[in-house]
Amino acid sequence: MDIEHYVFINKKVLQFVGLYPTNKVRSIFCVLCMLLIGIPQIIQIYQDFNDLNIVLEVSSVLLMILLGISKALVCTINSTDVEILINFLLTEFWEYAINNTSYNNLGKYAMQAKNITKGYLFLIFNALLIFFTLPLIDIFILKYKGILNNDSNNFPFMASYPDSFYEFPLYEITYISQVIATVICGLLILATDTLIATAVIHTCGHFVTLQNNLNNLNKSCNMVYAILPYAVNFSKIQYIQTSHHYFRFCELMENNFSLMLLLQTISSSLIICLVGVQVSIGGLTDSTKSMKYFSYLIMALSQLLLFCFPGDQLIYESSMVSKTVYSIKWYQVSIPIKSEICMMILRSQKPCYITAGKIYVMHLENFNAILNTSLSYFMVLKNFNT
């Protein structure tokens, strides 16, 4: 039950992009690297604004770049609160549960979070690898056929550069700059997204542990051993005054992650819409573009599901705490912390959840609602094109 076993990947990626421990210089450097591709793409859209195919292709990638920049800036601006939350998640929050005899469920949820992180890592770099290698394959084929020239040089992502950038050595330098910029963007998105998912899933494990403690209480009527591990002092965390840290931690997650989830929801909805329009306009006859569309669409869908599925679990497990509390025969319990018990009864009546900008509650039903919104955007753009 060593926390490092479950969050090793998360900590390494967070450290690399300067989010934990907080390194603002490294975070700003990552943002500047992403601008290497973001600015040329903005210029490309401006130059070819009347060409819908180009605008759609560039915009879908530019949205992901802007999303990475936005998440980095939000975490950098709120670096103090984010670092406190991560410190608490990886230290006290974990230790309170493993010091209890009912921590097996926490290990199960922590392993689930680790597997989700690994799967998300694979999806991101699989999509990037497809974008990076397809232009090289095209160049190799054209060179084999003997028809390779400067006009045949394509970059992984469409962007506007001077004509000299399509010749040696600027072509190779620009190609590498796009690789670096998008890899950093992928790492930033991986760091923030898996941090949110891990925090939510670990919290679900804590709620399950609490349910077991309360069920044991119902059998033994011994509140001290059942509840005391959760009645702790939070003097190290200034704005957590209550002993019921799991509910307060959910509020901290909501306050720190709500804006990022809103940006993610808007971005994913637009990306799904833009990719859909690209497919409807160009079809799937071009195998190269088909691979790009498919990998990008899977990424956008997985980003939404990454938050909606754990969010659904959080609502369910926190609701189960309320049912467990009301199943206990409190009149048989005599303990000097009755005020804490009353607070827990009152607080457990409202399920915990995370939202996108205080608008969308992140759960599976709203996952369908977001997809329907994307479909509406798609129909508007498709009608606009016709």
Side-chain angles (χ1 to χ4, degrees):
M1 291 299 295
D2 183 4
I3 185 66
E4 294 294 331
H5 174 70
Y6 299 104
V7 298
F8 174 78
I9 299 175
N10 304 83
K11 290 183 67 175
K12 286 298 180 182
V13 178
L14 286 166
Q15 182 181 9
F16 181 85
V17 296
L19 299 182
Y20 181 80
T22 302
N23 188 326
K24 293 186 178 180
V25 174
R26 184 173 293 186
S27 298
I28 294 173
F29 175 77
C30 290
V31 170
L32 294 176
C33 286
M34 286 186 285
L35 291 176
L36 291 175
I37 183 174
I39 293 176
Q41 287 191 319
I42 293 173
I43 296 173
Q44 180 79 64
I45 293 175
Y46 176 78
Q47 291 178 344
D48 299 286
F49 187 75
N50 294 324
D51 191 329
L52 185 59
N53 286 322
I54 293 178
V55 171
L56 290 174
E57 183 173 348
V58 177
S59 297
S60 58
V61 177
L62 181 60
L63 277 172
M64 194 66 72
I65 299 296
L66 294 177
L67 178 64
I69 293 174
S70 301
K71 287 184 175 182
L73 292 177
V74 169
C75 287
T76 301
I77 293 171
N78 300 325
S79 58
T80 302
D81 292 341
V82 172
E83 187 163 7
I84 289 175
L85 185 145
I86 298 174
N87 275 328
F88 184 58
L89 172 68
L90 302 182
T91 53
E92 290 100 326
F93 201 40
W94 181 264
E95 292 168 0
Y96 295 143
I98 64 173
N99 289 333
N100 193 291
T101 57
S102 302
Y103 61 75
N104 290 334
N105 285 299
L106 182 60
K108 181 183 72 175
Y109 279 86
M111 182 57 70
Q112 177 185 333
K114 179 181 178 181
N115 291 334
I116 288 176
T117 300
K118 291 164 68 175
Y120 196 56
L121 174 65
F122 172 79
L123 282 176
I124 289 176
F125 283 96
N126 178 66
L128 290 176
L129 186 62
I130 290 174
F131 276 88
F132 295 158
T133 56
L134 287 179
L136 297 177
I137 294 173
D138 290 339
I139 291 173
F140 177 80
I141 293 173
L142 293 174
K143 186 175 181 180
Y144 178 77
K145 293 179 178 180
I147 56 176
L148 180 66
N149 53 50
N150 289 340
D151 294 334
S152 305
N153 289 344
N154 295 319
F155 294 108
F157 303 94
M158 185 181 293
S160 177
Y161 298 100
D163 293 340
S164 59
F165 279 57
Y166 294 87
E167 301 176 358
F168 177 85
L170 292 180
Y171 173 75
E172 286 74 12
I173 294 173
T174 306
Y175 200 107
I176 293 172
S177 74
Q178 285 201 354
V179 172
I180 293 173
T182 49
V183 166
I184 288 176
C185 179
L187 288 173
L188 266 167
I189 291 174
L190 175 69
T192 54
D193 291 0
T194 56
L195 169 63
I196 297 172
T198 298
V200 173
I201 294 172
H202 279 216
T203 306
C204 292
H206 281 272
F207 278 126
V208 174
T209 301
L210 178 59
Q211 292 169 36
N212 292 336
N213 293 336
L214 294 174
N215 284 326
N216 291 335
L217 171 65
N218 205 17
K219 298 175 182 178
S220 63
C221 293
N222 189 338
M223 176 64 77
V224 174
Y225 291 102
I227 299 300
L228 194 56
Y230 284 89
V232 293
N233 183 8
F234 287 89
S235 59
K236 293 182 180 180
I237 309 234
Q238 298 177 356
Y239 42 84
I240 300 184
Q241 303 296 332
T242 177
S243 61
H244 309 292
H245 57 276
Y246 34 86
F247 291 112
R248 183 56 180 153
F249 186 73
C250 291
E251 294 175 8
L252 291 177
M253 288 194 297
E254 168 66 8
N255 294 334
N256 283 280
F257 299 147
S258 179
L259 179 57
M260 285 191 284
L261 290 175
L262 176 62
L263 295 172
Q264 181 66 68
T265 301
I266 296 173
S267 177
S268 294
S269 298
L270 291 175
I271 288 171
I272 293 169
C273 166
L274 293 174
V275 172
V277 175
Q278 285 177 268
V279 172
S280 68
I281 293 176
L284 299 175
T285 55
D286 189 334
S287 59
T288 298
K289 287 189 176 181
S290 298
M291 292 179 65
K292 290 183 178 181
Y293 294 156
F294 182 74
S295 63
Y296 213 56
L297 185 61
I298 292 297
M299 263 299 305
L301 290 171
S302 65
Q303 284 180 308
L304 283 177
L305 196 59
L306 183 70
F307 304 122
C308 291
F309 177 69
D312 205 67
Q313 285 184 304
L314 179 64
I315 293 172
Y316 174 77
E317 298 299 350
S318 59
S319 299
M320 290 302 296
V321 170
S322 177
K323 294 181 180 180
T324 306
V325 168
Y326 281 103
S327 69
I328 295 176
K329 300 175 182 178
W330 295 105
Y331 60 86
Q332 295 181 1
V333 179
S334 176
I335 188 170
I337 55 170
K338 289 185 177 180
S339 60
E340 298 290 342
I341 299 173
C342 293
M343 287 296 296
M344 181 172 64
I345 294 174
L346 292 174
R347 183 58 186 85
S348 63
Q349 294 176 6
K350 181 182 178 182
C352 296
Y353 52 80
I354 53 173
T355 69
K358 313 293 183 181
I359 301 173
Y360 278 106
V361 177
M362 303 305 288
H363 55 71
L364 293 177
E365 289 184 8
N366 274 341
F367 175 74
N368 294 329
I370 294 169
L371 292 183
N372 290 332
T373 303
S374 300
L375 181 61
S376 301
Y377 295 156
F378 165 74
M379 295 303 297
V380 170
L381 281 177
K382 187 176 180 181
N383 292 333
F384 174 77
N385 182 55
T386 56

PDB file of all heavy atoms in Angstrom, residues 355-368:
ATOM      1  N   THR A 355     -17.928  19.379 -11.305  1.00  0.00           N
ATOM      2  CA  THR A 355     -18.668  20.003 -12.392  1.00  0.00           C
ATOM      3  C   THR A 355     -17.716  20.671 -13.378  1.00  0.00           C
ATOM      4  O   THR A 355     -16.547  20.918 -13.074  1.00  0.00           O
ATOM      5  CB  THR A 355     -19.644  21.072 -11.860  1.00  0.00           C
ATOM      6  OG1 THR A 355     -18.882  22.190 -11.342  1.00  0.00           O
ATOM      7  CG2 THR A 355     -20.534  20.515 -10.782  1.00  0.00           C
ATOM      8  N   ALA A 356     -18.262  20.953 -14.547  1.00  0.00           N
ATOM      9  CA  ALA A 356     -17.558  21.747 -15.555  1.00  0.00           C
ATOM     10  C   ALA A 356     -18.054  23.170 -15.442  1.00  0.00           C
ATOM     11  O   ALA A 356     -19.144  23.495 -15.906  1.00  0.00           O
ATOM     12  CB  ALA A 356     -17.818  21.186 -16.951  1.00  0.00           C
ATOM     13  N   GLY A 357     -17.271  24.014 -14.763  1.00  0.00           N
ATOM     14  CA  GLY A 357     -17.634  25.415 -14.608  1.00  0.00           C
ATOM     15  C   GLY A 357     -18.914  25.658 -13.862  1.00  0.00           C
ATOM     16  O   GLY A 357     -19.623  26.639 -14.137  1.00  0.00           O
ATOM     17  N   LYS A 358     -19.266  24.784 -12.922  1.00  0.00           N
ATOM     18  CA  LYS A 358     -20.508  24.887 -12.145  1.00  0.00           C
ATOM     19  C   LYS A 358     -21.757  24.739 -13.023  1.00  0.00           C
ATOM     20  O   LYS A 358     -22.866  25.050 -12.576  1.00  0.00           O
ATOM     21  CB  LYS A 358     -20.585  26.238 -11.403  1.00  0.00           C
ATOM     22  CG  LYS A 358     -19.340  26.649 -10.656  1.00  0.00           C
ATOM     23  CD  LYS A 358     -19.040  25.750  -9.485  1.00  0.00           C
ATOM     24  CE  LYS A 358     -17.821  26.232  -8.704  1.00  0.00           C
ATOM     25  NZ  LYS A 358     -17.488  25.362  -7.572  1.00  0.00           N
ATOM     26  N   ILE A 359     -21.581  24.260 -14.251  1.00  0.00           N
ATOM     27  CA  ILE A 359     -22.705  24.144 -15.187  1.00  0.00           C
ATOM     28  C   ILE A 359     -23.098  22.688 -15.372  1.00  0.00           C
ATOM     29  O   ILE A 359     -24.232  22.292 -15.097  1.00  0.00           O
ATOM     30  CB  ILE A 359     -22.338  24.781 -16.548  1.00  0.00           C
ATOM     31  CG1 ILE A 359     -21.967  26.260 -16.369  1.00  0.00           C
ATOM     32  CG2 ILE A 359     -23.495  24.635 -17.540  1.00  0.00           C
ATOM     33  CD1 ILE A 359     -21.426  26.915 -17.608  1.00  0.00           C
ATOM     34  N   TYR A 360     -22.153  21.884 -15.852  1.00  0.00           N
ATOM     35  CA  TYR A 360     -22.396  20.464 -16.109  1.00  0.00           C
ATOM     36  C   TYR A 360     -21.832  19.638 -14.956  1.00  0.00           C
ATOM     37  O   TYR A 360     -20.648  19.779 -14.602  1.00  0.00           O
ATOM     38  CB  TYR A 360     -21.706  20.017 -17.401  1.00  0.00           C
ATOM     39  CG  TYR A 360     -22.461  20.321 -18.671  1.00  0.00           C
ATOM     40  CD1 TYR A 360     -22.051  21.339 -19.508  1.00  0.00           C
ATOM     41  CD2 TYR A 360     -23.578  19.567 -19.040  1.00  0.00           C
ATOM     42  CE1 TYR A 360     -22.735  21.623 -20.683  1.00  0.00           C
ATOM     43  CE2 TYR A 360     -24.271  19.835 -20.208  1.00  0.00           C
ATOM     44  CZ  TYR A 360     -23.835  20.868 -21.028  1.00  0.00           C
ATOM     45  OH  TYR A 360     -24.512  21.141 -22.188  1.00  0.00           O
ATOM     46  N   VAL A 361     -22.655  18.803 -14.358  1.00  0.00           N
ATOM     47  CA  VAL A 361     -22.149  17.801 -13.418  1.00  0.00           C
ATOM     48  C   VAL A 361     -21.551  16.668 -14.240  1.00  0.00           C
ATOM     49  O   VAL A 361     -22.185  16.146 -15.152  1.00  0.00           O
ATOM     50  CB  VAL A 361     -23.272  17.266 -12.511  1.00  0.00           C
ATOM     51  CG1 VAL A 361     -22.747  16.166 -11.598  1.00  0.00           C
ATOM     52  CG2 VAL A 361     -23.878  18.395 -11.687  1.00  0.00           C
ATOM     53  N   MET A 362     -20.311  16.300 -13.940  1.00  0.00           N
ATOM     54  CA  MET A 362     -19.616  15.305 -14.745  1.00  0.00           C
ATOM     55  C   MET A 362     -20.053  13.904 -14.331  1.00  0.00           C
ATOM     56  O   MET A 362     -19.579  13.348 -13.342  1.00  0.00           O
ATOM     57  CB  MET A 362     -18.095  15.462 -14.587  1.00  0.00           C
ATOM     58  CG  MET A 362     -17.567  16.834 -14.952  1.00  0.00           C
ATOM     59  SD  MET A 362     -18.019  17.370 -16.622  1.00  0.00           S
ATOM     60  CE  MET A 362     -16.975  16.311 -17.603  1.00  0.00           C
ATOM     61  N   HIS A 363     -20.985  13.348 -15.082  1.00  0.00           N
ATOM     62  CA  HIS A 363     -21.398  11.955 -14.906  1.00  0.00           C
ATOM     63  C   HIS A 363     -21.844  11.420 -16.262  1.00  0.00           C
ATOM     64  O   HIS A 363     -21.864  12.149 -17.267  1.00  0.00           O
ATOM     65  CB  HIS A 363     -22.485  11.807 -13.841  1.00  0.00           C
ATOM     66  CG  HIS A 363     -23.704  12.649 -14.075  1.00  0.00           C
ATOM     67  ND1 HIS A 363     -24.608  12.394 -15.083  1.00  0.00           N
ATOM     68  CD2 HIS A 363     -24.171  13.747 -13.427  1.00  0.00           C
ATOM     69  CE1 HIS A 363     -25.582  13.275 -15.040  1.00  0.00           C
ATOM     70  NE2 HIS A 363     -25.339  14.122 -14.056  1.00  0.00           N
ATOM     71  N   LEU A 364     -22.194  10.153 -16.324  1.00  0.00           N
ATOM     72  CA  LEU A 364     -22.423   9.499 -17.611  1.00  0.00           C
ATOM     73  C   LEU A 364     -23.636  10.046 -18.350  1.00  0.00           C
ATOM     74  O   LEU A 364     -23.664  10.067 -19.585  1.00  0.00           O
ATOM     75  CB  LEU A 364     -22.559   7.983 -17.401  1.00  0.00           C
ATOM     76  CG  LEU A 364     -21.281   7.273 -16.935  1.00  0.00           C
ATOM     77  CD1 LEU A 364     -21.550   5.792 -16.700  1.00  0.00           C
ATOM     78  CD2 LEU A 364     -20.157   7.453 -17.952  1.00  0.00           C
ATOM     79  N   GLU A 365     -24.661  10.492 -17.627  1.00  0.00           N
ATOM     80  CA  GLU A 365     -25.825  11.059 -18.306  1.00  0.00           C
ATOM     81  C   GLU A 365     -25.454  12.348 -19.037  1.00  0.00           C
ATOM     82  O   GLU A 365     -25.886  12.581 -20.170  1.00  0.00           O
ATOM     83  CB  GLU A 365     -26.942  11.324 -17.294  1.00  0.00           C
ATOM     84  CG  GLU A 365     -27.599  10.062 -16.765  1.00  0.00           C
ATOM     85  CD  GLU A 365     -28.767  10.369 -15.846  1.00  0.00           C
ATOM     86  OE1 GLU A 365     -29.139  11.560 -15.749  1.00  0.00           O
ATOM     87  OE2 GLU A 365     -29.301   9.432 -15.234  1.00  0.00           O
ATOM     88  N   ASN A 366     -24.643  13.164 -18.402  1.00  0.00           N
ATOM     89  CA  ASN A 366     -24.211  14.394 -19.061  1.00  0.00           C
ATOM     90  C   ASN A 366     -23.185  14.118 -20.147  1.00  0.00           C
ATOM     91  O   ASN A 366     -22.966  14.969 -21.017  1.00  0.00           O
ATOM     92  CB  ASN A 366     -23.654  15.384 -18.042  1.00  0.00           C
ATOM     93  CG  ASN A 366     -24.747  16.239 -17.424  1.00  0.00           C
ATOM     94  OD1 ASN A 366     -25.841  16.352 -17.978  1.00  0.00           O
ATOM     95  ND2 ASN A 366     -24.472  16.837 -16.292  1.00  0.00           N
ATOM     96  N   PHE A 367     -22.525  12.970 -20.093  1.00  0.00           N
ATOM     97  CA  PHE A 367     -21.651  12.575 -21.206  1.00  0.00           C
ATOM     98  C   PHE A 367     -22.489  12.462 -22.479  1.00  0.00           C
ATOM     99  O   PHE A 367     -22.084  12.952 -23.547  1.00  0.00           O
ATOM    100  CB  PHE A 367     -20.982  11.239 -20.879  1.00  0.00           C
ATOM    101  CG  PHE A 367     -20.147  10.681 -22.000  1.00  0.00           C
ATOM    102  CD1 PHE A 367     -18.917  11.230 -22.318  1.00  0.00           C
ATOM    103  CD2 PHE A 367     -20.593   9.589 -22.736  1.00  0.00           C
ATOM    104  CE1 PHE A 367     -18.151  10.714 -23.352  1.00  0.00           C
ATOM    105  CE2 PHE A 367     -19.848   9.065 -23.763  1.00  0.00           C
ATOM    106  CZ  PHE A 367     -18.604   9.631 -24.066  1.00  0.00           C
ATOM    107  N   ASN A 368     -23.647  11.852 -22.369  1.00  0.00           N
ATOM    108  CA  ASN A 368     -24.564  11.778 -23.509  1.00  0.00           C
ATOM    109  C   ASN A 368     -25.063  13.157 -23.911  1.00  0.00           C
ATOM    110  O   ASN A 368     -25.215  13.449 -25.113  1.00  0.00           O
ATOM    111  CB  ASN A 368     -25.751  10.870 -23.177  1.00  0.00           C
ATOM    112  CG  ASN A 368     -25.353   9.421 -22.989  1.00  0.00           C
ATOM    113  OD1 ASN A 368     -24.405   8.957 -23.601  1.00  0.00           O
ATOM    114  ND2 ASN A 368     -26.078   8.715 -22.133  1.00  0.00           N
TER     115      ASN A 368
END
